[in-house]
Amino acid sequence: MILALDLDDTLLRTDKTIGERTVLALRRWLEAGHELIVATGRPPRWIDSVLPAELQSVPRIVYNGAQVIIEGKVIYRNEITPADVRAVLEWTAASRPHWHIGLEIDDVLYLNRAGGKTDARLVEDLLSMCDQPAAKIIFLFAEEREDMAPLLAALPVTTRALITPKFSMVQLCGSTTDKADALGHLLEQRGLTFDALAAIGDDINDSEMLRRARIGIAMGNALDEVKAAADWITDAANDDGVAAAIERLLQEAGQSAPATAAG
């Protein structure tokens, strides 16, 4: 079986660490002959620093499904077209010129103003970047998110917004960009279907992969709509929920986890 794992508030605790019990469970999963895929909304540059050694070489779905990376190479892209990037930026320039905007392009974040992101490059006019597809367009709000209805009404039909109550930030991606679609690409390449997949997540960008996986697992700290998409619910991230889920999967497969992994 293949296990797809979200990172933030799923594999990672709120302090961005991974508990020992979870690391042991990940090791046991791999030793039992199963596979792992990281599936995150994060950019590629962020991932190495938070993954344990056991996961450094596993396939990575990044940017909510806009890219798939295997052994350091991008083997799949489903990004926002240059025309759509331009359309969104032209609308914001005319209607919301005060907004703090970022473009994720080839693992670099370009911002129209400084603040909040130490790994970004400042570009005074983001329209100068519109000759390239973007993995994401990000709208950053320091505190309370502004009304998104006008933006949503103006979006090109080939884009969509990811808006979660967990963050004030709003992300735009391609209309068909999704972790589930990226997983489907990987599975199809190997002659497999979603029946070979278990998936664990907590936020709206995880809902579809939980619905389509043979076993969808929501974290105890997941949004209610994500829990509704899941087959069952594990413990919260801060309580080693991924470890508990792996232990249950192994037990149901007749490959019980050792006592050290069970805490």
Side-chain angles (χ1 to χ4, degrees), residues 83-102:
D84 285 349
V85 174
R86 178 172 292 279
V88 171
L89 292 180
E90 287 178 344
W91 181 87
T92 53
S95 303
R96 301 292 188 275
H98 60 286
W99 277 8
H100 191 180
I101 307 171

mmCIF file of all heavy atoms in Angstrom, residues 83-102:
data_model
loop_
_atom_site.group_PDB
_atom_site.id
_atom_site.type_symbol
_atom_site.label_atom_id
_atom_site.label_comp_id
_atom_site.label_asym_id
_atom_site.label_seq_id
_atom_site.Cartn_x
_atom_site.Cartn_y
_atom_site.Cartn_z
ATOM 1 N N ALA A 83 -1.261 33.540 -18.959
ATOM 2 C CA ALA A 83 -2.410 34.409 -19.239
ATOM 3 C C ALA A 83 -3.275 34.594 -17.996
ATOM 4 O O ALA A 83 -3.764 35.709 -17.727
ATOM 5 C CB ALA A 83 -3.237 33.829 -20.382
ATOM 6 N N ASP A 84 -3.471 33.537 -17.237
ATOM 7 C CA ASP A 84 -4.282 33.647 -16.024
ATOM 8 C C ASP A 84 -3.551 34.420 -14.929
ATOM 9 O O ASP A 84 -4.177 35.165 -14.163
ATOM 10 C CB ASP A 84 -4.655 32.256 -15.515
ATOM 11 C CG ASP A 84 -5.751 31.606 -16.352
ATOM 12 O OD1 ASP A 84 -6.351 32.308 -17.185
ATOM 13 O OD2 ASP A 84 -5.993 30.399 -16.162
ATOM 14 N N VAL A 85 -2.245 34.239 -14.830
ATOM 15 C CA VAL A 85 -1.460 35.031 -13.869
ATOM 16 C C VAL A 85 -1.639 36.515 -14.184
ATOM 17 O O VAL A 85 -1.906 37.330 -13.290
ATOM 18 C CB VAL A 85 0.037 34.649 -13.916
ATOM 19 C CG1 VAL A 85 0.845 35.583 -13.022
ATOM 20 C CG2 VAL A 85 0.236 33.203 -13.475
ATOM 21 N N ARG A 86 -1.525 36.864 -15.455
ATOM 22 C CA ARG A 86 -1.675 38.267 -15.852
ATOM 23 C C ARG A 86 -3.077 38.769 -15.541
ATOM 24 O O ARG A 86 -3.240 39.884 -15.016
ATOM 25 C CB ARG A 86 -1.372 38.433 -17.340
ATOM 26 C CG ARG A 86 -1.560 39.872 -17.848
ATOM 27 C CD ARG A 86 -1.079 40.049 -19.262
ATOM 28 N NE ARG A 86 0.372 39.918 -19.336
ATOM 29 C CZ ARG A 86 1.225 40.896 -19.032
ATOM 30 N NH1 ARG A 86 0.763 42.078 -18.621
ATOM 31 N NH2 ARG A 86 2.512 40.715 -19.137
ATOM 32 N N ALA A 87 -4.094 37.990 -15.843
ATOM 33 C CA ALA A 87 -5.472 38.422 -15.603
ATOM 34 C C ALA A 87 -5.714 38.705 -14.121
ATOM 35 O O ALA A 87 -6.342 39.713 -13.764
ATOM 36 C CB ALA A 87 -6.450 37.361 -16.116
ATOM 37 N N VAL A 88 -5.217 37.839 -13.254
ATOM 38 C CA VAL A 88 -5.407 38.033 -11.812
ATOM 39 C C VAL A 88 -4.649 39.262 -11.327
ATOM 40 O O VAL A 88 -5.183 40.078 -10.556
ATOM 41 C CB VAL A 88 -4.958 36.775 -11.036
ATOM 42 C CG1 VAL A 88 -4.934 37.050 -9.535
ATOM 43 C CG2 VAL A 88 -5.871 35.600 -11.349
ATOM 44 N N LEU A 89 -3.415 39.426 -11.781
ATOM 45 C CA LEU A 89 -2.615 40.572 -11.339
ATOM 46 C C LEU A 89 -3.170 41.886 -11.875
ATOM 47 O O LEU A 89 -3.121 42.915 -11.181
ATOM 48 C CB LEU A 89 -1.160 40.392 -11.765
ATOM 49 C CG LEU A 89 -0.402 39.254 -11.073
ATOM 50 C CD1 LEU A 89 1.035 39.194 -11.590
ATOM 51 C CD2 LEU A 89 -0.409 39.410 -9.562
ATOM 52 N N GLU A 90 -3.690 41.872 -13.077
ATOM 53 C CA GLU A 90 -4.299 43.095 -13.610
ATOM 54 C C GLU A 90 -5.550 43.465 -12.828
ATOM 55 O O GLU A 90 -5.797 44.650 -12.568
ATOM 56 C CB GLU A 90 -4.606 42.920 -15.101
ATOM 57 C CG GLU A 90 -3.351 42.949 -15.973
ATOM 58 C CD GLU A 90 -3.657 42.728 -17.439
ATOM 59 O OE1 GLU A 90 -4.775 42.254 -17.764
ATOM 60 O OE2 GLU A 90 -2.774 43.019 -18.282
ATOM 61 N N TRP A 91 -6.337 42.463 -12.418
ATOM 62 C CA TRP A 91 -7.521 42.754 -11.630
ATOM 63 C C TRP A 91 -7.132 43.343 -10.278
ATOM 64 O O TRP A 91 -7.717 44.329 -9.827
ATOM 65 C CB TRP A 91 -8.348 41.484 -11.409
ATOM 66 C CG TRP A 91 -9.603 41.755 -10.624
ATOM 67 C CD1 TRP A 91 -10.811 42.140 -11.112
ATOM 68 C CD2 TRP A 91 -9.738 41.721 -9.193
ATOM 69 N NE1 TRP A 91 -11.708 42.330 -10.085
ATOM 70 C CE2 TRP A 91 -11.074 42.082 -8.904
ATOM 71 C CE3 TRP A 91 -8.878 41.416 -8.151
ATOM 72 C CZ2 TRP A 91 -11.559 42.147 -7.588
ATOM 73 C CZ3 TRP A 91 -9.362 41.486 -6.841
ATOM 74 C CH2 TRP A 91 -10.680 41.839 -6.577
ATOM 75 N N THR A 92 -6.148 42.735 -9.625
ATOM 76 C CA THR A 92 -5.754 43.254 -8.310
ATOM 77 C C THR A 92 -5.130 44.645 -8.426
ATOM 78 O O THR A 92 -5.352 45.490 -7.557
ATOM 79 C CB THR A 92 -4.770 42.296 -7.609
ATOM 80 O OG1 THR A 92 -3.672 42.012 -8.472
ATOM 81 C CG2 THR A 92 -5.465 41.003 -7.237
ATOM 82 N N ALA A 93 -4.367 44.894 -9.478
ATOM 83 C CA ALA A 93 -3.770 46.225 -9.662
ATOM 84 C C ALA A 93 -4.855 47.286 -9.803
ATOM 85 O O ALA A 93 -4.712 48.410 -9.306
ATOM 86 C CB ALA A 93 -2.859 46.228 -10.882
ATOM 87 N N ALA A 94 -5.956 46.925 -10.471
ATOM 88 C CA ALA A 94 -7.037 47.886 -10.696
ATOM 89 C C ALA A 94 -7.983 47.990 -9.507
ATOM 90 O O ALA A 94 -8.496 49.075 -9.211
ATOM 91 C CB ALA A 94 -7.822 47.492 -11.945
ATOM 92 N N SER A 95 -8.200 46.864 -8.813
ATOM 93 C CA SER A 95 -9.246 46.824 -7.783
ATOM 94 C C SER A 95 -8.738 46.745 -6.352
ATOM 95 O O SER A 95 -9.399 47.218 -5.432
ATOM 96 C CB SER A 95 -10.161 45.611 -8.031
ATOM 97 O OG SER A 95 -10.715 45.649 -9.323
ATOM 98 N N ARG A 96 -7.557 46.140 -6.143
ATOM 99 C CA ARG A 96 -7.005 45.972 -4.795
ATOM 100 C C ARG A 96 -5.498 46.253 -4.822
ATOM 101 O O ARG A 96 -4.686 45.393 -4.486
ATOM 102 C CB ARG A 96 -7.269 44.551 -4.266
ATOM 103 C CG ARG A 96 -8.741 44.150 -4.184
ATOM 104 C CD ARG A 96 -9.478 44.943 -3.114
ATOM 105 N NE ARG A 96 -10.823 44.433 -2.900
ATOM 106 C CZ ARG A 96 -11.891 44.783 -3.616
ATOM 107 N NH1 ARG A 96 -11.756 45.675 -4.599
ATOM 108 N NH2 ARG A 96 -13.088 44.277 -3.365
ATOM 109 N N PRO A 97 -5.106 47.464 -5.190
ATOM 110 C CA PRO A 97 -3.672 47.755 -5.324
ATOM 111 C C PRO A 97 -2.891 47.668 -4.024
ATOM 112 O O PRO A 97 -1.663 47.553 -4.036
ATOM 113 C CB PRO A 97 -3.655 49.183 -5.884
ATOM 114 C CG PRO A 97 -4.970 49.775 -5.472
ATOM 115 C CD PRO A 97 -5.941 48.627 -5.518
ATOM 116 N N HIS A 98 -3.590 47.678 -2.883
ATOM 117 C CA HIS A 98 -2.917 47.622 -1.580
ATOM 118 C C HIS A 98 -2.613 46.193 -1.140
ATOM 119 O O HIS A 98 -1.925 45.988 -0.138
ATOM 120 C CB HIS A 98 -3.784 48.293 -0.514
ATOM 121 C CG HIS A 98 -5.124 47.644 -0.337
ATOM 122 N ND1 HIS A 98 -6.139 47.781 -1.249
ATOM 123 C CD2 HIS A 98 -5.626 46.833 0.662
ATOM 124 C CE1 HIS A 98 -7.197 47.110 -0.839
ATOM 125 N NE2 HIS A 98 -6.907 46.522 0.318
ATOM 126 N N TRP A 99 -3.093 45.191 -1.872
ATOM 127 C CA TRP A 99 -2.900 43.816 -1.440
ATOM 128 C C TRP A 99 -1.446 43.379 -1.529
ATOM 129 O O TRP A 99 -0.705 43.779 -2.445
ATOM 130 C CB TRP A 99 -3.761 42.879 -2.287
ATOM 131 C CG TRP A 99 -5.186 42.786 -1.795
ATOM 132 C CD1 TRP A 99 -5.778 43.533 -0.813
ATOM 133 C CD2 TRP A 99 -6.190 41.895 -2.296
ATOM 134 N NE1 TRP A 99 -7.085 43.165 -0.660
ATOM 135 C CE2 TRP A 99 -7.375 42.161 -1.549
ATOM 136 C CE3 TRP A 99 -6.206 40.920 -3.273
ATOM 137 C CZ2 TRP A 99 -8.565 41.465 -1.778
ATOM 138 C CZ3 TRP A 99 -7.390 40.224 -3.502
ATOM 139 C CH2 TRP A 99 -8.558 40.495 -2.757
ATOM 140 N N HIS A 100 -1.070 42.544 -0.583
ATOM 141 C CA HIS A 100 0.257 41.935 -0.534
ATOM 142 C C HIS A 100 0.170 40.617 -1.296
ATOM 143 O O HIS A 100 -0.544 39.692 -0.894
ATOM 144 C CB HIS A 100 0.631 41.694 0.936
ATOM 145 C CG HIS A 100 2.054 41.322 1.159
ATOM 146 N ND1 HIS A 100 2.565 41.080 2.405
ATOM 147 C CD2 HIS A 100 3.082 41.141 0.310
ATOM 148 C CE1 HIS A 100 3.843 40.779 2.328
ATOM 149 N NE2 HIS A 100 4.181 40.794 1.059
ATOM 150 N N ILE A 101 0.900 40.526 -2.420
ATOM 151 C CA ILE A 101 0.732 39.409 -3.353
ATOM 152 C C ILE A 101 2.058 38.701 -3.566
ATOM 153 O O ILE A 101 3.122 39.336 -3.637
ATOM 154 C CB ILE A 101 0.201 39.911 -4.717
ATOM 155 C CG1 ILE A 101 -1.064 40.738 -4.524
ATOM 156 C CG2 ILE A 101 -0.061 38.736 -5.662
ATOM 157 C CD1 ILE A 101 -1.518 41.447 -5.775
ATOM 158 N N GLY A 102 1.987 37.378 -3.696
ATOM 159 C CA GLY A 102 3.166 36.592 -4.010
ATOM 160 C C GLY A 102 2.916 35.667 -5.189
ATOM 161 O O GLY A 102 1.792 35.198 -5.395
#
